[in-house]
């Protein structure tokens, strides 16, 4: 095609377009005022309020092939504006785009509308008056409402081709003082794409909105306070006054919510919404909720990332709370529970505010059910929980749980200088019913509800390091309630000891919640053969310890333990001591062991004692005892008590049957050995059929006198006396000793150390082969005086050879 011809065609097209544009502009200027007046007239004729605008302007070809008309400074006021001074609508600018092609056909149709910088304020006062009456239709009797069908058709034609509405910086504030609602937000930049059918209007709304608050109940606070959102909504409006929400998304800061539902405005109206999100952190979710509700939830410190589905169903106009259902699935999170940190926690839950469908929606009718929650207590102990919370005005918790702890895996929770777990399992099941805020009251050291449960120990083995107590196995079953645990059975295997324990313990609950209290245990213990040599491994100075969770709990428990034991054992032995048929009461604390009315068969006789060992926390310990021995073998007594820490008279020197009442106390060293210098006591002594064998001090007498008599084995008819022990010195009153070799009187001080000072009176009538008994009853005759004293660790005898000297008996 030749270039000049091409240029001619182009110029022709441009000319045609210019003519059309000029015609359109001419038409627009010609009818601008008519359109402006028509719009104002049409609006004011149909509503009870008043619409005003400052001017109408237009721009050709703005937004496509057409004209854009702009209304400036628009105001919509109700009839009572002079009283309340609140405009229903104020717009800085409203732009309407009209299709030029339809305009050329003399049809006025709006393609798009743009709203710039305005405010919509709707209110309902406490008397029920609303400024929405400004847009209510006028009375049918009004002459201005008798518009012709042609005028009505013109209004519909105006909006028939509307395809888009844009809103910029539009503030919306809806207040209902009668129902306590306050909805306030700003449409920063919103685009609405519209499609029409004969029965429905479809809207695709997208853009940014800044929410100030969404308050549906002033007493409970508002949602979305000062939150920036980005909307992508698919809406519909049908002839039945129903707004539908198709699958849509709302981005609140960094969290995306999917929603769908509907608003039905017929009659009382109804709202149904379904909202879901996949990954929202609980702190951010709480920031969307009303502050009061968020604070109530946050104080329980359950703040995971969750996947949630929410359904809302309720009336629009009655002011009643909607029915809400929530499904939540958490990701793993750390929960700092009252009994310790629970890591890798995961769970699902369902909330409803209408648990009883026969009752209305309310906090009291609300319920949260978590059928399965799991985690690791202290990071190693697996725990499974299920719980239900009801009555959110005064929350009530029903929780059930269980755990099975492998003892070997709990080593990191114990200080190895205190406890070294080895093997076994501890299985715990529990149920709690009571208040949730708080579950445990530290002021009273009590739970705010009812606790029931049981614990089972299966082949538990551990080493208690300070005393080197190696527990090979513990099997047991315990039932527990709020403040009491009943030991159904507890079987402990330690060295050769097989101990059976039953009873109850009170005061354990506070230790599970990090506080302390006095722990009282009352148990019965039976052992076929109980060895106590392990007591000697006690370490008065503990090794350096490190703070560990369960060690800390155990240490505090032991420090506050008050243990009362009814002991029964077929045999008890400690070092050289041995007894059978042992029974009695034993009280144990961290600082002491005390026995009351312990009965046993020992030393060939019967032994009853009350006493104990105390001051375990000091370098030296105190042993004290009060008791009675009946018909015991004196040799076995000396053997069992290791000759009471002296070597002068030993179990190798004595035999006979001993009966005695005694009180005794002494200090023990860190190895639980007697410290003889600290001994104190009193002894009522009665020995029958006694025999003194190979006693060196008496053998020395034989070198001086009675050389033909048998001093190797001296037999006694009976000995009876009172003794006072002070340190290593045993003081005795003068006592007659009638033996197989001679009769003598002895008194003074016998020392287990080096202060022996005994005075022996030997009546010279002993020289007769067969003296009369009366001649040996008193010291009125001639006597041989022998003083036995300790010199350089040996007993020395000093004699008085003045046989004629009268020795007067001491005055009584």
């Amino acid at each position: 095609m030749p270039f000049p011809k091409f240029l001619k065609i182009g110029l022709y097209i441009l000319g045609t377009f210019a003519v059309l544009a000029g015609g359109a502009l001419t038409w627009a200027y010609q009818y601008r005022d008519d359109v402006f007046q028509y719009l104002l007239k049409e609006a004011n004729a149909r509503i009870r309020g008043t619409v005003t605008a400052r001017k109408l302007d237009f721009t050709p070809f703005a937004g496509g092939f057409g004209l854009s008309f702009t209304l400036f400074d628009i105001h919509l006021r109700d009839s009572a504006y002079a009283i309340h001074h609140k405009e229903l609508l104020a717009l800085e600018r409203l732009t309407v785009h009209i299709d030029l092609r339809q305009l050329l056909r003399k049809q006025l149709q709006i393609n798009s509308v743009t709203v710039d910088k305005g405010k919509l304020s709707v209110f309902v006062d406490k008397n029920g008056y609303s400024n929405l009456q400004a847009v209510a239709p006028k009375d049918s009797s009004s002459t201005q409402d008798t518009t012709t069908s042609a005028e009505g058709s013109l209004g519909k034609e105006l909006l028939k081709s509307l395809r888009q509405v844009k809103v910029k910086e539009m503030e919306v504030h809806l207040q209902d003082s009668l129902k306590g609602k306050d909805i306030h937000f700003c449409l920063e930049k919103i685009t609405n794409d519209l499609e029409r059918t004969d029965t429905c209007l479809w809207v695709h709304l997208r853009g940014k909105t800044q929410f100030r608050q969404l308050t549906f109940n002033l007493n409970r606070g508002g949602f979305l306070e000062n939150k920036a959102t980005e909307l992508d909504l698919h809406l519909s409006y049908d002839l039945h006054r129903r707004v539908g929400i198709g699958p849509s998304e709302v981005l609140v800061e960094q969290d995306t919510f999917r929603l769908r539902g509907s608003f039905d405005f017929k009659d009382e109206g109804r709202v149904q919404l379904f909202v879901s999100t996949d990954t929202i952190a609980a702190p951010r979710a709480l920031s969307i909720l009303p502050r009061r509700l968020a604070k109530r939830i946050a104080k329980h410190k359950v703040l995971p990332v969750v996947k949630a589905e929410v359904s809302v169903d309720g009336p629009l106009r009655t002011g009643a709370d909607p029915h809400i259902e929530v499904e939540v699935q958490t990701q793993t999170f750390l929960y700092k529970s009252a009994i310790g940190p629970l890591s890798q926690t995961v769970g699902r839950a369902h909330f409803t505010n209408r648990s009883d469908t026969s009752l209305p929606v309310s906090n009291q009718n609300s319920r949260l059910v978590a059928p399965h929650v799991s985690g690791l207590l202290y990071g190693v102990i697996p725990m499974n929980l299920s719980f239900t919370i009801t009555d959110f005005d005064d929350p009530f918790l029903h929780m059930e749980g269980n755990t099975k702890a492998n003892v070997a895996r709990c080593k990191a929770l114990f200080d190895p200088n205190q406890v070294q777990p080895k093997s076994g399992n501890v299985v715990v099941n529990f149920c709690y019913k009571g208040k949730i805020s708080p579950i445990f009251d530290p002021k009273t050291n009590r739970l705010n509800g009812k606790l029931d449960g049981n614990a089972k120990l299966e082949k538990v083995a551990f080493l208690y390091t300070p005393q080197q107590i190696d527990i090979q196995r513990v099997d047991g079953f315990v039932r527990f309630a709020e403040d009491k645990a009943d030991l159904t059975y507890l079987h402990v295997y330690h060295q050769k000891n097989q101990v059976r324990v039953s009873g109850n313990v009170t005061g354990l609950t506070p230790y599970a919640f990090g506080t302390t209290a006095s722990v009282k245990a009352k148990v019965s213990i039976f052992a076929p053969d109980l060895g106590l040599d392990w007591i000697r491994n006690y370490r008065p100075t503990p090794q350096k310890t490190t703070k560990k969770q369960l060690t800390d709990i155990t240490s505090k428990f032991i420090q506050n333990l008050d243990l009362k034991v009814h002991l029964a054992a077929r045999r008890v032995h400690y070092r050289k001591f041995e007894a059978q048929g042992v029974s009695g009461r034993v009280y144990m604390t961290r600082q002491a062991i005390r026995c009351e009315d312990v009965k046993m068969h020992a030393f060939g006789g019967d032994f009853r004692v009350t006493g104990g060992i105390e001051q375990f926390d000091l370098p030296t310990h105190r042993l004290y005892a009060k008791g009675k021995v009946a018909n015991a073998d004196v040799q076995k007594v000396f053997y069992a008590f290791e000759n009471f820490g002296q070597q002068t008279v030993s179990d190798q020197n004595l035999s006979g049957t001993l009966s005695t009442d005694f009180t005794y106390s002494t200090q023990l060293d860190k190895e639980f050995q007697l410290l003889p210098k600290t001994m104190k006591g009193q002894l009522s002594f009665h020995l029958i059929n006694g025999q003194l064998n190979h006693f060196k001090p008496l053998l020395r007498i034989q070198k001086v006198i009675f050389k033909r008599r048998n001093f190797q084995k001296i037999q006694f008819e009976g000995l009876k006396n009172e003794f006072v022990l002070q340190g290593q010195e045993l003081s005795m009153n003068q006592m007659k000793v009638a033996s197989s070799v001679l009769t003598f009187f002895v008194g003074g001080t016998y020392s287990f150390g080096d202060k022996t000072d005994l005075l022996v009176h030997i009546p010279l009538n002993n020289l007769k082969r067969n003296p009369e008994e009366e001649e040996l009853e008193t010291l009125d005759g001639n006597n041989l005086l022998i003083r036995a004293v300790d010199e350089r660790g040996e007993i020395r005898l000093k004699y008085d050879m003045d046989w004629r000297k009268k020795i007067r008996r001491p005055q009584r």
Side-chain angles (χ1 to χ4, degrees):
M1 179 184 294
F3 181 75
K5 189 174 182 179
F6 177 81
L7 182 59
K8 288 180 181 180
I9 294 173
L11 290 174
Y12 176 79
I13 294 173
L14 290 174
T16 303
F17 184 77
V19 170
L20 291 173
L25 289 173
T26 302
W27 186 93
Y29 276 110
Q30 181 180 354
Y31 291 100
R32 178 180 64 180
D33 293 339
D34 292 340
V35 171
F36 180 49
Q37 294 302 323
Y38 170 79
L39 292 175
L40 292 179
K41 178 184 176 182
E42 185 71 14
N44 285 300
R46 292 176 176 275
I47 63 175
R48 294 181 181 180
T50 303
V51 178
T52 63
R54 180 166 53 86
K55 68 173 183 176
L56 174 67
D57 205 348
F58 70 93
T59 304
F61 307 114
F65 189 71
L67 298 174
S68 293
F69 291 86
T70 303
L71 286 169
F72 293 92
D73 198 15
I74 304 168
H75 298 272
L76 173 58
R77 299 168 179 172
D78 65 314
S79 58
Y81 174 77
I83 299 173
H84 56 70
H85 303 291
K86 292 182 180 180
E87 289 186 324
L88 175 62
L89 178 67
L91 297 178
E92 185 175 307
R93 184 167 56 185
L94 174 66
T95 301
V96 178
H97 181 74
I98 297 174
D99 192 334
L100 185 58
R101 289 167 296 187
Q102 297 297 328
L103 189 61
L104 294 176
R105 298 190 186 102
K106 297 183 179 181
Q107 295 179 359
L108 185 61
Q109 293 185 356
I110 300 174
N111 281 354
S112 65
V113 175
T114 301
V115 178
D116 288 318
K117 294 183 180 180
K119 183 175 182 178
L120 172 66
S121 296
V122 179
F123 74 86
V124 178
D125 65 19
K126 293 182 179 180
N127 297 317
Y129 175 78
S130 173
N131 63 345
L132 273 177
Q133 294 186 20
V135 293
K138 285 189 175 180
D139 232 38
S140 58
S141 61
S142 171
T143 57
Q144 294 195 12
D145 197 38
T146 57
T147 55
T148 64
S149 59
E151 289 174 329
S153 298
L154 178 60
K156 293 180 180 179
E157 288 296 324
L158 282 172
L159 301 176
K160 182 178 180 179
S161 298
L162 182 63
R163 293 291 179 265
Q164 191 174 76
V165 176
K166 293 183 178 181
V167 180
K168 297 178 182 178
E169 299 183 33
M170 180 70 178
E171 185 177 355
V172 179
H173 195 183
L174 311 176
Q175 291 178 292
D176 189 336
S177 300
L178 192 63
K179 297 176 181 177
K181 300 182 187 297
D182 192 336
I183 299 173
H184 192 183
F185 56 89
C186 180
L187 304 173
E188 293 183 346
K189 188 176 181 180
I190 296 293
T191 299
N192 295 274
D193 293 327
L194 295 87
E195 293 184 10
R196 293 175 178 274
T197 65
D198 293 339
T199 60
C200 189
L201 171 66
W202 301 90
V203 180
H204 182 195
L205 185 154
R206 60 194 185 278
K208 295 181 179 181
T209 300
Q210 178 73 33
F211 280 90
R212 304 287 186 257
Q213 65 174 339
L214 290 178
T215 303
F216 302 101
N217 188 318
L218 289 175
N219 293 326
R220 297 178 184 174
F223 295 82
L224 288 173
E225 288 190 3
N226 300 316
K227 290 294 179 182
T229 65
E230 191 164 335
L231 308 178
D232 188 0
L233 305 178
H234 294 273
L235 309 175
S236 63
Y237 180 74
D238 59 27
L239 297 177
H240 302 289
R241 300 179 64 194
R242 181 177 178 273
V243 175
I245 303 176
S248 304
E249 289 188 351
V250 177
L251 179 65
V252 181
E253 294 183 340
Q254 63 192 78
D255 298 301
T256 299
F257 295 87
R258 297 181 298 276
L259 69 156
R260 57 186 176 85
S262 65
F263 291 85
D264 191 343
F265 292 97
K266 288 193 305 180
D267 302 325
E268 294 299 328
R270 192 159 201 85
V271 57
Q272 289 183 311
L273 287 177
F274 302 91
V275 184
S276 64
T277 182
D278 287 337
T279 54
I280 181 169
R284 297 199 303 272
L286 294 180
S287 70
I288 298 173
L289 301 177
R291 292 183 183 180
R292 182 180 175 186
L293 178 59
K295 186 177 180 180
R296 181 181 296 178
I297 296 173
K299 74 177 181 179
H300 299 298
K301 299 179 181 179
V302 183
L303 304 173
V305 174
V306 300
K307 176 181 180 181
E309 295 181 358
V310 182
S311 69
V312 180
D313 185 357
L316 283 175
R317 296 190 178 93
T318 63
D321 291 333
H323 176 199
I324 298 176
E325 302 277 340
V326 182
E327 289 282 351
V328 174
Q329 175 69 56
T330 76
Q331 295 184 9
T332 57
F333 67 101
L334 174 65
Y335 173 53
K336 295 182 179 179
S337 74
I339 63 173
L342 203 64
S343 62
Q344 299 184 36
T345 307
V346 64
R348 57 186 176 87
H350 175 81
F351 169 83
T352 178
N353 60 353
R354 195 181 181 190
S355 58
D356 187 342
T357 55
S358 65
L359 297 176
V361 167
S362 67
N363 283 344
Q364 294 91 338
N365 199 20
S366 296
R367 179 179 64 195
L368 175 68
V369 179
H372 181 71
V373 178
S374 63
L376 295 176
L377 184 64
Y378 295 117
V380 294
I381 302 175
M383 181 168 285
N384 298 293
L385 301 169
S386 63
F387 62 85
T388 301
I389 302 174
T390 54
D391 188 357
F392 276 60
D393 279 340
D394 186 15
F396 184 87
L397 172 66
H398 179 183
M399 177 171 59
E400 296 182 1
N402 65 78
T403 180
K404 184 175 183 179
N406 184 288
V407 173
R409 295 177 182 174
C410 297
K411 288 183 178 180
L413 305 180
F414 291 91
D415 180 354
N417 292 323
Q418 295 293 316
V419 177
Q420 296 182 27
K422 292 183 177 180
S423 61
N425 296 300
V426 178
V427 181
V428 180
N429 297 278
F430 63 89
C431 175
Y432 171 81
K433 297 179 181 179
K435 290 184 179 294
I436 190 176
S437 182
I439 292 178
F440 181 80
D441 187 348
K443 293 181 180 178
T444 61
N445 262 351
R446 296 185 64 86
L447 290 169
N448 281 323
K450 183 178 180 181
L451 175 69
D452 291 296
N454 60 72
K456 187 176 183 181
L457 286 76
E458 301 172 340
K459 299 179 180 179
V460 174
F462 63 92
L463 174 67
Y464 185 58
T465 314
Q467 277 69 56
Q468 291 297 301
I469 301 175
D470 191 3
I471 303 297
Q472 286 96 16
R473 177 171 173 173
V474 179
D475 295 304
F477 188 81
V478 182
R479 295 186 183 276
F480 55 85
E482 295 86 71
D483 196 42
K484 185 176 181 180
D486 291 317
L487 305 177
T488 304
Y489 71 88
L490 193 66
H491 296 172
V492 181
Y493 299 85
H494 168 232
Q495 297 178 357
K496 295 182 180 180
N497 295 327
Q498 298 181 19
V499 182
R500 306 291 184 263
V501 184
S502 61
N504 59 74
V505 182
T506 58
L508 286 174
T509 306
Y511 292 86
F513 293 90
T515 65
T516 59
S518 176
V519 180
K520 297 184 182 298
K522 187 176 182 180
V523 300
S524 296
I525 296 179
F526 171 76
D529 189 348
L530 182 60
L532 300 177
D533 289 330
W534 55 269
I535 294 177
R536 290 180 293 171
N537 292 324
Y538 183 85
R539 297 181 182 179
T541 305
Q543 296 184 21
K544 183 178 179 181
T545 61
T546 56
K547 193 173 182 63
K548 297 287 186 177
Q549 291 95 332
L550 295 188
T551 297
D552 188 46
I553 293 173
T554 304
S555 297
K556 290 178 180 178
F557 168 78
I558 293 174
Q559 289 173 10
N560 293 279
L561 176 62
D562 183 1
L563 176 61
K564 297 181 180 180
V565 179
H566 181 270
L567 175 64
R570 293 185 186 138
R571 177 175 177 262
V572 174
H573 55 93
Y574 171 71
R575 294 175 68 90
K576 294 181 178 181
F577 173 86
E578 183 176 330
Q580 290 77 35
V582 179
S583 66
R585 298 184 299 274
V586 180
Y587 302 90
M588 300 179 65
T589 66
R590 190 187 183 202
Q591 289 78 28
I593 297 176
R594 179 167 58 93
C595 304
E596 271 190 12
D597 197 27
V598 177
K599 303 174 185 178
M600 66 191 75
H601 183 70
F603 330 119
D606 294 321
F607 184 26
R608 176 178 291 184
V609 64
T610 294
I613 304 175
E614 59 186 12
Q615 300 175 348
F616 282 168
D617 54 339
L618 298 178
T620 58
H621 323 306
R622 178 176 177 264
L623 181 148
Y624 61 96
K626 178 182 180 180
K628 183 176 184 178
V629 179
N631 304 316
D633 186 329
V634 69
Q635 183 183 34
K636 293 181 179 179
V637 172
F638 270 69
Y639 177 81
F641 289 102
E642 301 181 23
N643 298 314
F644 300 97
Q646 54 81 42
Q647 297 300 322
T648 303
V649 181
S650 72
D651 59 283
Q652 300 298 318
N653 304 125
L654 293 171
S655 65
T657 301
L658 175 68
S659 295
T660 179
D661 292 328
F662 66 91
T663 61
Y664 177 75
S665 67
T666 185
Q667 297 291 319
L668 307 175
D669 65 15
K670 63 181 181 180
E671 300 297 332
F672 285 78
Q673 300 284 352
L674 293 174
L675 298 176
K677 293 182 178 180
T678 66
M679 294 189 298
K680 293 181 181 180
Q682 291 183 338
L683 178 71
S684 296
F685 177 85
H686 187 200
L687 179 67
I688 60 175
N689 300 323
Q691 184 171 302
L692 188 61
N693 303 314
H694 313 295
F695 188 54
K696 290 182 180 181
L698 290 180
L699 291 177
R700 293 193 186 101
I701 295 176
Q702 188 180 25
K703 293 178 181 180
V704 178
I705 194 171
F706 309 122
K707 294 183 179 181
R708 294 183 179 181
R709 299 184 185 183
N710 185 7
F711 276 77
Q712 293 290 333
K713 294 183 178 180
I714 304 174
Q715 297 177 349
F716 304 97
E717 294 180 2
L719 298 177
K720 189 174 184 180
N721 204 355
E722 299 288 334
F723 296 85
V724 176
L725 178 64
Q726 185 67 43
Q728 298 185 81
E729 282 69 59
L730 185 66
S731 300
M732 67 179 76
N733 295 327
Q734 191 178 69
M735 173 180 62
K736 177 185 175 182
V737 180
S739 72
S740 59
V741 294
L742 76 164
T743 298
F744 61 91
F745 295 82
V746 62
T749 301
Y750 175 79
S751 177
F752 298 136
D754 56 0
K755 295 181 180 180
T756 298
D757 189 355
L758 294 173
L759 185 60
V760 181
H761 297 74
I762 302 176
L764 292 183
N765 288 329
N766 280 280
L767 296 175
K768 297 179 181 181
R769 289 188 176 273
N770 297 300
E772 296 293 333
E773 182 64 28
E774 291 80 4
E775 297 177 352
L776 299 177
E777 279 296 320
T778 68
L779 298 175
D780 291 339
N782 294 322
N783 297 277
L784 172 64
L785 302 181
I786 302 175
R787 188 180 177 196
V789 296
D790 190 294
E791 292 182 354
R792 298 178 182 178
E794 292 187 7
I795 301 297
R796 299 295 183 181
L797 302 179
K798 296 183 178 181
Y799 306 99
D800 187 340
M801 301 304 292
D802 187 1
W803 294 354
R804 294 183 297 271
K805 186 175 181 180
K806 294 281 187 178
I807 302 300
R808 294 184 179 180
R809 297 174 64 184
Q811 296 295 322
R812 296 186 179 179

